[in-house]
């Protein structure tokens, strides 16, 4: 994970760009504008994330992201993420990756693919399903059981499955630092699962 600084007007990625180094981004501070084709701009603020699909699939950006003010982001290199995750003895991340990519395939024909991440009901259910299928002792966070408001955007893009990935807590704890609600619950699940897998 590295820190990335953008000045006003800087473009982080463009529509249909294939990144040389696929990465997921977490907005720590600032304001950015995201647009797809001639569609209106959507504002992106701190605590939002972008390009999650780069961790799970071959990636093509679905829109243009431009800084509106000075911004600070965390950038997670997808290749390094995979290398770290494959060293852990759990399969939670691999299962989530499979579910996530199937979800992308379902929404692509509807024109709903986006680079903008979203703490949505659907993505929460994918995480719950991935953990519950691998580990019957997993506890679903109470705040995830309450209905949530639907949103226009979600963290989806791409269409083909990346190589096998297995779960771990090292990288997910970084998500927890940037995204308190979604990340802390997932980080806790990985920690519990890793401890059980290692017999601790």
């Amino acid at each position: 994970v590295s820190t990335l600084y953008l000045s006003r007007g800087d473009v982080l990625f463009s529509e249909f760009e294939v990144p040389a180094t696929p990465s997921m981004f977490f907005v720590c501070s600032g304001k950015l504008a995201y647009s797809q084709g001639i569609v209106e701009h959507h504002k992106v603020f701190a605590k939002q994330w972008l390009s999650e699909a780069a961790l799970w699939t071959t990636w093509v950006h679905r829109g243009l992201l431009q800084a509106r003010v000075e911004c600070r982001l965390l950038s997670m290199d997808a290749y390094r993420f995979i290398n770290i995750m494959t060293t852990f003895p759990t399969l939670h991340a691999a299962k989530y990756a499979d579910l996530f990519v199937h979800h992308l395939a379902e929404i692509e024909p509807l024109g709903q693919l986006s680079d903008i991440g979203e703490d949505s009901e659907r993505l929460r259910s994918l995480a719950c399903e991935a953990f519950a299928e691998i580990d019957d002792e997993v506890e679903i966070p109470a705040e995830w059981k309450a209905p949530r408001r639907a949103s226009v955007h979600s963290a989806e893009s791409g269409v083909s499955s990346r190589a096998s990935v297995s779960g771990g807590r090292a990288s997910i704890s970084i998500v927890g630092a940037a995204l308190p609600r979604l990340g802390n619950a997932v980080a806790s699940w990985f920690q519990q699962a890793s401890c059980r897998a290692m017999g601790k």
Side-chain angles (χ1 to χ4, degrees):
V1 174
S2 58
T3 304
L4 178 65
Y5 294 94
L6 299 177
S7 297
R8 182 177 180 180
D10 286 352
V11 173
L12 182 59
F13 53 75
S14 300
E15 191 169 10
F16 306 121
E17 176 185 342
V18 178
T21 305
S23 300
M24 179 178 181
F25 304 97
F26 303 93
V27 182
C28 300
S29 65
K31 181 173 73 173
L32 303 101
Y34 177 79
S35 59
Q36 293 179 298
I38 58 172
V39 178
E40 66 183 63
H41 291 274
H42 298 278
K43 295 176 183 175
V44 179
F45 298 101
K47 297 188 179 180
Q48 285 188 273
W49 64 97
L50 303 144
S51 307
E52 178 188 356
L55 302 180
W56 314 118
T57 189
T58 302
W59 178 252
V60 177
H61 290 294
R62 307 302 295 191
L64 179 135
L65 186 74
Q66 186 173 31
R68 289 301 185 210
V69 297
E70 301 288 319
C71 298
R72 183 171 61 91
L73 300 91
L74 293 179
S75 174
M76 183 185 299
D77 182 304
Y79 296 131
R80 291 183 179 181
F81 174 81
I82 290 170
N83 288 337
I84 291 170
M85 298 300 264
T86 55
T87 63
F88 284 82
T90 65
L91 297 174
H92 299 85
K95 182 60 184 175
Y96 178 76
D98 183 57
L99 293 170
F100 190 92
V101 170
H102 279 90
H103 173 62
L104 297 181
E106 289 172 3
I107 67 170
E108 183 186 20
L110 305 175
Q112 296 177 354
L113 294 178
S114 173
D115 294 280
I116 300 177
E118 191 69 38
D119 184 11
S120 68
E121 196 78 30
R122 179 64 180 137
L123 291 180
R124 284 181 175 212
S125 70
L126 291 181
C128 292
E129 184 179 341
F131 277 84
E133 188 169 319
I134 301 292
D135 185 352
D136 57 1
E137 296 179 30
V138 70
E139 294 181 22
I140 307 301
E143 63 270 19
W144 283 29
K145 295 177 182 177
R148 296 181 51 76
R149 185 182 61 166
S151 176
V152 175
H153 286 291
S154 50
E156 295 101 67
S157 186
V159 290
S160 63
S161 180
R162 193 183 288 285
S164 176
V165 181
S166 59
R169 63 177 178 256
S171 295
I172 297 300
S173 64
I174 295 162
V175 177
L179 307 166
R181 292 171 304 193
L182 181 62
N184 285 344
V186 173
S188 173
W189 285 355
F190 272 115
Q191 185 174 12
Q192 292 171 22
S194 295
C195 288
R196 278 195 292 275
M198 291 185 276
K200 294 181 179 178

